[in-house]
Amino acid sequence: MEEQESLTVRFPVGLLTKWKLHKLQDKSLNDVMIKVLEREIRYHKDLAAHHRIVARRESIGRRTGTQQSSVILIRQLRKGDGRDD
């Protein structure tokens, strides 16, 4: 098991009351908070990756310009136009 560290967290009373009313029998508040933090970390990592992808897409777009849609070419190839069979 991974080493754990103690931390004091202050929750709004209403939120903690709602959690107590709806908590699952097998889940401690600690377990829930670990899952929430893991999800939040993953969200921010995914968001950062998304921003890098968008920036790279824009950079490539500036360099190469807008590319033609390949839909027309694919349809022609499906019909057999331009095939070297």
Side-chain angles (χ1 to χ4, degrees), residues 3 24 32 35 49 76 83:
E3 184 180 346
L24 300 174
V32 171
K35 292 287 184 195
Q76 288 172 345
R83 284 191 174 180

Side-chain angles (χ1 to χ4, degrees), residues 1-9 11 16 19 23-24 26-38:
M1 178 162 203
E2 190 174 343
E3 184 180 346
Q4 295 185 347
E5 183 177 335
S6 284
L7 174 70
T8 300
V9 180
F11 291 100
L16 198 53
W19 179 80
K23 77 174 191 171
L24 300 174
D26 299 354
K27 297 280 184 177
S28 69
L29 185 55
N30 187 68
D31 294 338
V32 171
M33 290 309 303
I34 288 170
K35 292 287 184 195
V36 167
L37 282 173
E38 288 172 344

Side-chain angles (χ1 to χ4, degrees), residues 20-76:
K20 288 177 182 177
L21 290 172
H22 295 96
K23 77 174 191 171
L24 300 174
Q25 296 163 346
D26 299 354
K27 297 280 184 177
S28 69
L29 185 55
N30 187 68
D31 294 338
V32 171
M33 290 309 303
I34 288 170
K35 292 287 184 195
V36 167
L37 282 173
E38 288 172 344
R39 190 178 319 132
E40 189 71 11
I41 290 167
R42 188 172 51 248
Y43 168 78
H44 286 283
K45 286 174 67 176
D46 292 349
L47 185 60
H50 172 72
H51 288 299
R52 288 192 305 273
I53 290 167
V54 169
R56 178 150 313 148
R57 180 183 294 150
E58 289 172 356
S59 168
I60 291 169
R62 282 191 303 272
R63 226 175 344 139
T64 63
T66 303
Q67 301 294 312
Q68 259 185 324
S69 172
S70 59
V71 172
I72 295 170
L73 176 60
I74 292 170
R75 287 182 180 155
Q76 288 172 345

